[in-house]
Amino acid sequence: MKNIIAKIVVVAGLIVLSATAALAHSPLCSCFDNGDGTVLCEGGFSDGSSASGVKIYVRGDSGAVILKGAMNENSEFEFNKPAGHYTVTFDGGEGHSIEIDGSDIVE
Amino acid sequence: MKMKVVFLNLLLVVAMAVPASAHFQMIYTPEIAKTKGAETDLKLVFTHPYEAGHTMKMGMPEEFFMLHQKGEEGKTKKYDLKKLLKPITWTSLTNSGEAYEAKLPKKIVRSMGDYTLVLVPAPYYEGEEEIYIQQITKTYMNVGGLPGNWAAPAGLKTEWIPLVKPYAMWTGMTFKAQLLSDGKPVPNADVEVEYMNHEPDMKNNAFKKEAKSEAPHDAFVTMGVKTDAQGYVTFAIPKAGWWGFCALGSGPDKEFKGKELSQDAVIWIKAVDM
């Protein structure tokens, strides 16, 4: 019984800790048109931490994913600019996602 | 004859009554917290900012550069801005003086992160005091809210290291910074603080005539604070706008061309109202 209580306390503690960490920073992402047919997106978090490995989705007009990848070690993701309307999603997990409309991505 | 003496005495009294405002090297651009990267106009002016007073003639700076860092783990990139400098004439409320401007292209102010602007001016000869003054000056910009190297030393002979994000100050917040000389803290240093009381007019290279505040006493024109035993100052910002902090003679170099040199450290921060 003591063991179970100890486990519950540890798990509860971990939940509280992870919840605090999730609230402590906000996601940041910015994309620009390189002017040569490519788009560069860069990301990070408001505490200065890296966005390396954060998933990126590029969706076409229908909402279907046409490209997916992840931020590199420099917190960057570069892709060929799709024809027509598109959106970019920086998927930093629940409450940490950002969607950028292609029409806002300029040189 | 008597009248002439009286008049000369009066003139002397009036001249001495002019408030003693402090020299401040400025690096100015209107907006330092940028949502997106953009072409950025900078003005470099050596003047007396509270009163928009006498503007001194600047020589070609020894160094003018920018350090950019995206995220705390990012690599610091250095951009030499000296080649972008163009001479201008800056008009204060009392005179005109030679200053510089630079237009930073968007391609170098595009990424998110911190941008530290660093100016090492040529020493200025102050004839009345027979000394040279060299104010090593820093100010900051940020794009997109992603922090970078704002708290890192730029490796200057003397400089301020902010402990509060210098581009994200609400009015009323307390600014804290540490003064370094050759990388070591400077205790008990004299620091002058001035408010940029006349907004710079970027288009006309001049200070606007309207003042934002009125000093009730000369001591409020240039405020005095001292660094503590570890070289820190703290200062609560009472009004929105630009605030300059100048540590007098904090640098290691004490002589230039056979004359005394005051090598000062200047930092500019901007506060905005909530």
Side-chain angles (χ1 to χ4, degrees), chain A residues 84-100:
Chain A
H85 178 253
Y86 69 100
T87 62
V88 177
T89 304
F90 172 94
D91 184 7
E94 203 174 333
H96 285 77
S97 289
I98 294 175
E99 189 174 284
I100 299 173

Side-chain angles (χ1 to χ4, degrees), chain A residues 27-29 42-45 48-56 70-76 90-92, chain B residues 71 73 112 146:
Chain A
L28 299 159
C29 184
E42 49 184 29
F45 292 91
S49 59
S50 164
S52 175
V54 169
K55 291 188 186 79
I56 298 287
M71 290 270 171
N72 67 14
E73 69 276 13
N74 294 323
S75 303
E76 291 176 352
F90 172 94
D91 184 7
Chain B
E73 299 150 39
M112 292 197 292
L146 179 65

